Amino acid sequence: MRMLKTCLIAGVLALALGTGPLHAQAPFSVPPSGVLGMDDTKLSPDFWLAHLADADRVVMDAGAIDALNKKVLAQDPSMHDIRALGGNLTGDQVKGWIVKLAKQPDRPLYDIHGQEVPKASIDAVFANRALDSIPAQAPTRFGMAVRRTALRGVPTDMRVFSHADDTDIDRFQESALFPGDPVVITHTSGDGHWLFVVSPRYAAWVWAQDIAEGRRDDVLTHVDATPYRIITGAKPRTVFTPEAPAVSELQLDMGTRVPLDTRLPADQAVNGQGPYTSWVLSLPVRKDDGSLAFAPALLQRNQESSADYLPLTRANIIRQAFKFLGERYGWGHAFDGRDCSGFVSDVYRSMGVQMPRNTRDQSISPGLQHTVFGPADKHDARVKAVLAMDVGDLIYIPGHVMMVIGKVDGQPYVIHDVSGMSYVQADGSMRRVKLNAVSVTPLLPMMANAKESFVDHMTSIVRIRP
């Protein structure tokens, strides 16, 4: 993953130190939590909805969203149109994906106990990619993820870190797949335990046991099947069932599209349970030989899901974002959570918008609407752009993204997945508050370092609009 560690480091400087437009408002209060400008009322979506006029107006309809998704898929090099891949893949194409994803480290890496990982162990992991065994040409194979599973930079579950005292950012962790995600299977690791797959938003290594291989038509027909449910909760689970362990208490993350199983009579038990209080889903499962099959599973109707993607409104943006409030930061969707770019993309995914996976790719995507900032852009112009932002706008600095949720007393606030915030107190000392979670903070006082604000480091503002 090419997100910088900045994604974890948010700094905030007290307004008392500044002058000019950035600091024209009254100073922020510092509550017992130490989180500048915050109180309990601001931790509720209702607070922000009360500040919005015309909150339920549709910003983009389904047709406009579909057109945007097609544009991003066609124009963004980080996205993959797996439907357009030919019947065969060349060895150079496959090797290019694998080599581009991860380079052999030139610095020491550390394990979970803070011990340096021997170079021989790292070499063995990279050798397990088995690049020499990639054929000059091979048939294009399709599959589906059968559970939430990690996408890795190299074929290993070994967790490695850049610093002995930092065990949050696993340098081999990239992203995640969700149940039903379609993939193209391109290569198998030397030990046979890993597959290199290409999904619409990412190409990386995944545990072979989490992928079921099937015919192209079967995979894509299931992806397109109707009727379906869109998961709108943060991460609900299917009903527990001892009769079908593969689909028992299976986690379904926000934005996942799951077809309904319409084959069974409404009065027939599903996995030992009457289905009338639940939705009967059709989920992919992996048979003993690794092949793809589909099985019914129950999702309780009181779990958050919808018959279609939610309307893209400012109210829904806020409601969906706050469903993750307090979730532990997870680099590359680790820790059963998500990181800053995963957070904003999963929120928008519940409304049908398919964004690139990583912060940098989102910030420069040719398919999205940008306001771009460079060294020539002065502070006042940046602040003017910030004050004109609307709910749902995304602010990018190198390695980090924040989502605007509204203003209080003229000051914009954001929700983002971040490790902490630092600010200079009235006596001039620096205070750091650890967050390491999806959090709400004011925007303008944030500092990239002791002298420069996040506003001064902005590279782009992305607005999801037609």
Side-chain angles (χ1 to χ4, degrees), residues 405-464:
I405 55 172
K407 294 188 180 81
V408 177
D409 297 328
Q411 291 288 339
Y413 278 69
V414 293
I415 187 169
H416 50 149
D417 211 341
V418 67
S419 75
M421 57 192 301
S422 303
Y423 56 91
V424 176
Q425 302 180 95
D427 62 1
S429 63
M430 183 70 75
R431 180 178 182 181
R432 176 165 176 78
V433 180
K434 190 175 183 66
L435 299 173
N436 213 21
V438 176
S439 308
V440 175
T441 65
L443 169 63
L444 291 183
M446 291 184 178
M447 302 300 288
N449 53 53
K451 296 182 179 180
E452 298 171 297
S453 71
F454 270 25
V455 170
D456 293 319
H457 276 233
M458 280 194 312
T459 59
S460 70
I461 294 172
V462 169
R463 175 166 286 183
I464 307 298

Side-chain angles (χ1 to χ4, degrees), residues 294-311:
F294 298 100
L298 298 180
L299 178 69
Q300 293 168 239
R301 289 181 182 249
N302 60 9
Q303 298 295 299
E304 293 182 280
S305 71
S306 174
D308 206 344
Y309 291 105
L310 296 174

Side-chain angles (χ1 to χ4, degrees), residues 212-296:
E213 184 171 353
R215 295 172 57 250
R216 179 185 188 277
D217 288 349
D218 291 340
V219 169
L220 297 182
T221 296
H222 191 264
V223 169
D224 297 334
T226 58
Y228 53 82
R229 301 298 293 179
I230 302 299
I231 302 304
T232 57
K235 43 190 178 184
R237 293 179 179 270
T238 59
V239 171
F240 170 78
T241 170
E243 292 86 354
V247 294
S248 176
E249 294 193 313
L250 193 70
Q251 182 170 307
L252 302 170
D253 287 64
M254 182 182 288
T256 302
R257 182 185 191 271
V258 189
L260 294 178
D261 192 327
T262 58
R263 300 170 301 173
L264 302 176
D267 61 349
Q268 180 175 321
V270 174
N271 302 329
Q273 180 177 334
Y276 90 102
T277 57
S278 301
W279 300 106
V280 184
L281 307 179
S282 176
L283 288 169
V285 293
R286 188 175 191 268
K287 297 165 68 174
D288 291 343
D289 63 358
S291 64
L292 175 66
F294 298 100

Side-chain angles (χ1 to χ4, degrees), residues 98 112 144 364:
I98 295 173
I112 191 70
M144 299 192 92
I364 64 173

